[in-house]
């Protein structure tokens, strides 16, 4: 049986043969199926041939409508079969994953029109699955207990009644519960504080079963950027613990919407410390027959941890337009961090003696040691000259201390880009003012291949871009009223993009006070599973979708999306992460704020025209447009031939 969709000659270059076949696909096979020949696709195909032939990294910037997904999929699948290892397609978030694999998505189209059987499987992040232990807690809670109980009763029988000779299959992912809002999902979805290693139900957990499933993919595994970076960061630790890495060995990687990878990398390299979790883990030692000196050390560590977290809570302040709190660091706070490290060091020394006595279960001992090692490393980052980025999050009645190293570049360079493997960054927005230097710098790259191809769409005829007049300051209530005027004018059919959830909630609160509010249907991100909201928006033509995370990747062709309202210019949030980036820059606004905003704005504008027949309006609000330099830069990212008109 031929493993390839073409007659393979082992005496000739595989990549050259694959490239010839891909050229035939675009020149003959797809046009025969009704697709138009796109010069941009063919050009991109020849560019990707270089990356796969030489196993290099390439920035593939291709405008909306170029059909870039078909190109990278054809190369990734062909190369995966040649190497006998699946390709990884890493998307910016879970909603983009769903769009890639939906029944009418690009993978299904290639399989249908090229008569291919493509084995593509999803590798979803852990937080996209139900945690059975959290579900039990939610069922016994006061809020939505009946709802959670019905979810429990609908679980597969092998979860509720373990028996012999049962068949197991993946279950319990976020998409199966579309009506749950984010708050409800957070009550039963997995989170970082779940100790899966000692969970008695881990072998019947939907997350575990899904990993067994996607690891067997022959052609493609599709995951999020976050998940791929978590795989990279935990690779060695999981091997030490005798576990399989999150992803199997793979032949190539495609980072779709690759301009967002750096943010995902920093999130993956983040440590989250919580007193209650720490106490729950170390108190396991007290349940064993241990020496008094170890018991005393454990009690002292618990006391010191509790004091430190109370002090952190006292010294943290809310960051506007962010769900984070900034820590006001002081000598006292750093001194208490050092004291906690000292108490943990005592426990670690005591455990060395205790392990020789075999009084503690070996498995339990290993878990405690790993947790202590993680905390020690996270806290030790404060002793480095380049202090880590840190902030506080509120978790119901408790707080967590989040610590993020600054040296993401080094990790990416050593563990991702140093591998001799084709790596493709695909997006419509990878360059800033025609240069890829910004992306290469934040990702720690020394060199990479690159190319740009424009969109084939006639934006001059199909798009209008409107903004308030220069010098006009618009307050919140006036902006809401102007938005309703625009919605009435377009008959709904609008995507409203917000820079933060706080601003979305602000709009929602003001909008609900207007008498004309019932005339429109609004779908708000966070009120249900995101791909379910997108489907509703596409189906109900006059509805309006309000979102924070859909600046990239949303693909809704046709009249359902005829207007995009940018509620505010998407400058980076005023949180500790971007504060750290600004502090490291000689010109923070020009080097950090403007490139981020312009890339995101270009992506937001790209949501409107998704086919040759699409037409519509972009409306950009933001009082920062009154800055002449900002307005000039915004005008430069508008598609060529389109001018910025006044509202």
């Amino acid at each position: 049986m031929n493993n390839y969709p073409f007659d393979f000659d082992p005496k000739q270059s595989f990549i050259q043969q694959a490239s010839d076949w891909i050229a035939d696909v675009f020149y003959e096979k797809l046009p025969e199926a009704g697709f138009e020949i796109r010069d941009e696709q063919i050009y991109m195909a020849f560019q990707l041939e270089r990356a796969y032939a030489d196993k290099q990294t390439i920035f593939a910037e291709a405008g909306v409508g170029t059909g870039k997904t078909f190109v990278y999929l054809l190369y990734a699948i062909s190369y995966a079969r040649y190497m006998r290892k699946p390709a990884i397609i890493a998307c910016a978030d879970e909603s983009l994953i769903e769009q890639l694999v939906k029944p009418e998505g690009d993978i299904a189209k290639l399989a249908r029109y090229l008569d291919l059987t493509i084995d593509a499987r999803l590798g979803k992040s852990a937080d996209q699955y139900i945690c059975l232990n959290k579900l039990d807690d939610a069922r016994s809670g006061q809020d939505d207990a009946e709802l959670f109980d019905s979810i429990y009763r609908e679980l597969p029988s092998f979860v509720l009644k373990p028996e012999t000779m049962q068949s197991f299959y993946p279950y319990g992912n976020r998409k199966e519960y579309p009506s749950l809002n984010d708050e409800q999902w957070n009550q039963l979805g997995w989170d970082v504080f779940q100790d899966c290693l000692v969970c008695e139900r881990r072998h019947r957990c939907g997350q575990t079963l899904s990993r067994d499933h996607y690891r067997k993919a022959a052609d493609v595994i599709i995951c999020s950027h976050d998940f791929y970076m978590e795989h990279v960061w935990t690779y060695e630790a999981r091997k030490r613990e005798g576990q399989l890495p999150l992803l199997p060995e793979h032949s190539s990687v495609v980072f779709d919407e690759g301009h967002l990878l750096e943010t995902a990398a920093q999130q993956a390299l983040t440590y989250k410390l919580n007193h209650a979790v720490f106490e729950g883990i170390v108190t396991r030692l007290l349940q064993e027959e241990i020496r008094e000196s170890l018991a005393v050390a454990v009690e002292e560590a618990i006391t010191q941890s509790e004091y430190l977290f109370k002090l952190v809570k006292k010294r943290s302040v809310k960051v506007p337009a962010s769900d984070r709190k900034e820590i006001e660091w002081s000598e006292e706070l750093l001194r208490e961090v050092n004291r906690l490290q000292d108490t943990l060091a005592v426990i670690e020394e005591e455990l060395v003696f205790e392990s020789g006595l075999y009084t503690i279960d070996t498995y339990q001992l290993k878990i405690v040691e790993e947790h202590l090692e993680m905390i020690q490393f996270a806290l030790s980052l404060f002793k480095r000259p380049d202090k880590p980025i840190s902030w506080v999050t509120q978790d119901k009645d408790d707080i967590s201390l989040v610590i993020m190293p600054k040296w993401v570049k080094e990790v990416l360079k050593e563990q991702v880009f140093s591998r001799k493997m084709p790596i493709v960054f695909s997006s419509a927005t990878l360059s800033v003012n025609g240069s890829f230097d910004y992306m290469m710098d934040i990702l720690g790259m020394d060199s990479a291949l690159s190319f740009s191809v424009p969109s084939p769409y006639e934006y001059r005829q199909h798009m209008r871009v409107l903004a308030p007049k220069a010098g006009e300051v618009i307050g919140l209530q006036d902006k809401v009223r102007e938005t309703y005027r625009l919605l009435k004018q377009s008959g709904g059919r609008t995507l409203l993009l917000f820079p933060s959830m706080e601003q979305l909630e602000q709009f929602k609160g003001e909008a609900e006070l207007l008498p004309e509010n019932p005339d429109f249907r609004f779908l708000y991100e966070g009120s249900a599973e995101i791909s379910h909201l997108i489907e509703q928006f596409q189906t109900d033509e006059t509805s309006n979708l309000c979102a924070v995370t859909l600046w990239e990747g949303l693909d809704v062709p046709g009249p359902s999306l005829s207007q995009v309202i940018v509620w505010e210019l998407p400058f980076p949030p005023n949180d500790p992460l971007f504060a750290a980036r600004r502090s490291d820059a000689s010109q923070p606004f020009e080097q950090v704020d403007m490139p981020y905003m312009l890339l995101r704005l270009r992506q937001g504008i790209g949501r409107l025209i998704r086919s040759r027949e699409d037409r519509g309006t972009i409306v950009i609000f933001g009082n920062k447009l009154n800055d002449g330099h900002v307005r000039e830069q915004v005008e430069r990212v508008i598609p060529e031939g389109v001018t910025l008109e006044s509202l």
Side-chain angles (χ1 to χ4, degrees), residues 108 116 126 256 319 398 422 433 458 557:
L116 287 175
D256 202 350
V319 177
D398 208 353
N433 296 328
E458 295 291 339

Side-chain angles (χ1 to χ4, degrees), residues 71-113:
V71 182
Y72 73 61
L73 280 173
L74 288 171
Y75 269 103
I77 293 168
S78 300
Y79 194 65
R81 295 185 177 186
Y82 175 63
M83 297 294 291
R84 303 294 195 270
K85 297 175 185 176
I88 304 295
I89 310 295
C91 301
D93 58 37
E94 304 294 339
S95 63
L96 295 177
I97 291 174
E98 294 293 345
Q99 292 199 63
L100 192 61
V101 299
K102 60 187 178 182
E104 67 278 15
D106 286 336
I107 291 177
K109 288 177 183 175
L110 282 180
R112 182 163 63 251
Y113 295 119

Side-chain angles (χ1 to χ4, degrees), residues 329-339 382 387:
W329 285 100
S330 63
E331 288 298 324
E332 179 189 13
L333 204 48
L334 289 171
R335 187 168 59 248
E336 297 307 324
V337 167
N338 289 333
R339 283 180 177 168
F382 289 109
K387 291 279 192 294

Side-chain angles (χ1 to χ4, degrees), residues 6-9 11-24 45-46 48-50 52-54 75 78-79 82:
F6 52 86
D7 292 328
F8 173 57
D9 182 354
K11 297 177 182 178
Q12 298 183 31
S13 163
F14 172 80
I15 293 299
Q16 184 58 58
Q17 293 177 76
S19 183
D20 291 342
W21 171 73
I22 291 169
D24 289 342
F46 284 118
L48 287 196
E49 180 187 341
R50 294 188 296 157
Y52 277 85
D54 300 333
Y75 269 103
S78 300
Y79 194 65
Y82 175 63

Side-chain angles (χ1 to χ4, degrees), residues 294-321:
L294 175 56
V296 170
V298 169
E299 294 289 356
E300 288 178 351
I302 292 171
T303 302
Q304 178 60 24
S305 171
E306 184 176 23
Y307 179 76
L308 173 61
F309 276 88
K310 283 182 179 178
L311 190 59
V312 167
K313 185 175 184 178
K314 183 179 178 182
R315 299 291 186 189
S316 56
V317 292
K318 180 79 170 67
V319 177

Side-chain angles (χ1 to χ4, degrees), residues 459-520:
Y459 288 105
R460 185 197 306 264
Q461 300 170 11
H462 293 182
M463 176 189 286
R464 293 182 69 198
V465 182
L466 309 175
K469 295 177 182 177
E472 186 178 0
V473 178
I474 301 181
L476 173 62
Q477 293 179 344
D478 289 336
K479 199 193 305 190
V480 172
R481 281 193 288 269
E482 180 65 14
T483 296
Y484 269 74
R485 184 188 71 78
L486 292 164
L487 294 178
K488 188 174 182 180
Q489 191 173 285
S490 65
R493 303 179 174 87
T494 298
L495 170 68
L496 291 92
L497 292 172
F498 297 83
S500 69
M501 190 60 74
E502 188 172 88
Q503 291 191 48
L504 183 151
E505 292 294 342
Q506 199 176 44
F507 166 79
K508 183 179 179 182
E510 290 290 332
E512 289 176 347
L513 299 176
L514 296 181
E516 57 265 53
N517 185 62
D519 298 340
F520 300 96

Side-chain angles (χ1 to χ4, degrees), residues 193-195 198 274-288 298-299 301-303 305-306 309 364 367-368 371-372 375 398:
F193 295 126
Q194 302 311 305
D195 196 352
V198 296
N274 178 283
H275 169 69
V277 173
F278 167 72
E279 184 176 11
I281 288 178
V282 295
T283 50
R284 293 175 182 171
L285 298 174
L286 300 178
Q287 299 169 8
E288 308 284 346
V298 169
E299 294 289 356
I302 292 171
T303 302
S305 171
E306 184 176 23
F309 276 88
Q364 293 283 358
I367 291 168
V368 174
H371 193 74
L372 293 179
I375 296 175
D398 208 353

